[in-house]
Amino acid sequence: MSTTESTAESTMFTSPTIIDAVVRQNYPGGTLYVVATPIGNVADISLRALHLLTIVDAIACEDTRNTAQLLGRYGIHKPLISAHQHNEREVAEKILLRLQAGDRIALVSDAGTPGVSDPGAKIVDVLKAAGVPVTPLPGASAAISALSASGLLADRFYFVGFLPAKAGQRETALRSLLNVPASLIFYEAPHRITETVQAMLDVFGGDHQIVLAREVSKLFEEIHRCPLSAAPAWLAADAHREKGEYVILLDASHAAEGESDLEARRVLRILLEECSVKQAASLAAQLTGMKKNALYQLALEMKQGDAD
């Protein structure tokens, strides 16, 4: 990079116009500011967020150690309030009293946006119910970052977050998503990634496209897209792929529509009089050519509707 280019970039970050836009904005007291923090690369935080963190009276955070380390990177020192998943309601009441006294309080999680598969939603719920202003400062999100680099059609997406850890509950949760007409976004821990992908393959079949986004924005970031049938082999090919947090994306699933749907319901209605849901779905798949998983879900819905 030339000296001229380097100087131009430095000027961009110290431009009075940009700084004025940050500093001159009104940040009223008595407000909770929900602040997104980096999910990996420490530079992925906005100028506005940094300024806000320097002027608040306190910062409520998921882990005081992690937040203190992040703030220290930017030379920021503020009183910290521990606000994790086990004490949210209790802490919310304490924060409410401070806000009612006119304080500015920021809310952060360890990484990303509070309240999105992270603590924070209960605190915001209490404060909104009390009529306290809540202002978001947008920023890093692992789900949206992975989606933007996936190549999947993003006009509709459904954020699932973490699936249940137990196999039976996980399968039930996945089956409930079979007919969602959107790209599906999941979070998963490294020690469960292999069994979760296998469960997805068992439920959805191998034709769907899957995107496995590992360590988004971090040093060893890896984003891989392949048919779901090929995903277990890709994970097994490198032991390092069972390390690091994952965002998993599955391509859109479409419910049966129109005449095909009517025919499927007609066939299932007959079969369910004599067969179990599983048997009816299997036979209906042979008769109609539709996917067994979709028919299984439809049969469950029909059975439930009859019971109601």
Side-chain angles (χ1 to χ4, degrees):
M1 180 185 295
S2 69
T3 303
T4 302
E5 290 173 329
S6 178
T7 302
E9 290 192 359
S10 298
T11 301
M12 177 181 67
F13 290 112
T14 58
S15 165
T17 302
I18 295 175
I19 299 301
D20 284 350
V22 173
V23 175
R24 292 181 183 279
Q25 182 174 347
N26 186 29
Y27 299 96
T31 301
L32 179 77
Y33 295 90
V34 183
V35 183
T37 55
I39 57 177
N41 192 312
V42 71
D44 290 340
I45 189 167
S46 70
L47 293 175
R48 182 175 171 228
L50 288 174
H51 174 67
L52 187 281
L53 292 173
T54 67
I55 65 172
V56 293
D57 296 288
I59 300 171
C61 53
E62 182 177 0
D63 189 315
T64 56
R65 295 164 300 181
N66 291 338
T67 298
Q69 184 177 21
L70 174 66
L71 296 176
R73 300 286 293 272
Y74 289 101
I76 301 172
H77 303 281
K78 288 289 176 178
L80 301 179
I81 303 168
S82 178
H84 49 76
Q85 62 178 335
H86 302 298
N87 73 346
E88 279 194 80
R89 293 288 179 185
E90 176 186 348
V91 170
E93 297 298 334
K94 295 179 180 179
I95 292 174
L96 175 60
L97 291 175
R98 295 193 60 169
L99 293 173
Q100 289 174 335
D103 281 357
R104 296 188 188 102
I105 305 288
L107 173 66
V108 303
S109 62
D110 283 349
T113 303
V116 183
S117 286
D118 272 334
K122 293 177 182 177
I123 292 174
V124 172
D125 179 49
V126 169
L127 299 181
K128 296 289 282 188
V132 172
V134 177
T135 297
L137 273 67
S141 166
I144 300 303
S145 298
L147 180 63
S148 70
S150 70
L152 301 181
L153 297 181
D155 54 335
R156 291 185 181 182
F157 61 89
Y158 184 92
F159 178 73
V160 182
F162 286 97
L163 289 164
K166 293 184 178 180
Q169 295 175 353
R170 181 171 55 233
E171 180 182 352
T172 298
L174 287 171
R175 289 195 178 281
S176 72
L177 300 168
L178 276 168
N179 290 329
V180 175
S183 295
L184 305 176
I185 305 178
F186 306 84
Y187 286 162
E188 192 51 276
H191 64 278
R192 287 199 299 266
I193 186 62
T194 298
E195 59 189 67
T196 293
V197 168
Q198 184 59 53
M200 289 177 174
L201 178 58
D202 293 341
V203 170
F204 286 89
D207 293 336
H208 288 266
Q209 288 288 305
I210 186 172
V211 177
L212 297 161
R214 184 174 75 92
E215 295 286 84
V216 174
S217 88
K218 299 180 178 70
L219 181 61
F220 298 106
E221 177 183 274
E222 192 170 16
I223 300 176
H224 178 74
R225 176 173 167 173
C226 65
L228 184 49
S229 59
W234 181 80
L235 288 170
D238 186 341
H240 289 95
R241 289 172 183 160
E242 292 192 19
K243 299 178 181 179
E245 299 293 327
Y246 271 88
V247 181
I248 306 172
L249 302 103
L250 278 178
D251 68 339
S253 206
H254 297 283
E257 298 175 351
E259 295 181 2
S260 296
D261 184 41
L262 292 174
E263 176 63 8
R265 288 180 178 275
R266 185 187 70 80
V267 172
L268 284 171
R269 181 71 64 189
I270 296 170
L271 293 172
L272 285 171
E273 293 180 1
E274 303 293 335
C275 305
S276 68
V277 169
K278 185 175 181 179
Q279 291 172 323
S282 180
L283 291 171
Q286 297 177 45
L287 292 169
T288 65
M290 296 176 64
K291 291 185 177 181
K292 184 168 65 174
N293 287 333
L295 290 165
Y296 180 87
Q297 184 64 30
L298 180 58
L300 279 178
E301 294 171 0
M302 293 173 63
K303 198 80 171 178
Q304 182 62 44
D306 291 341
D308 294 340

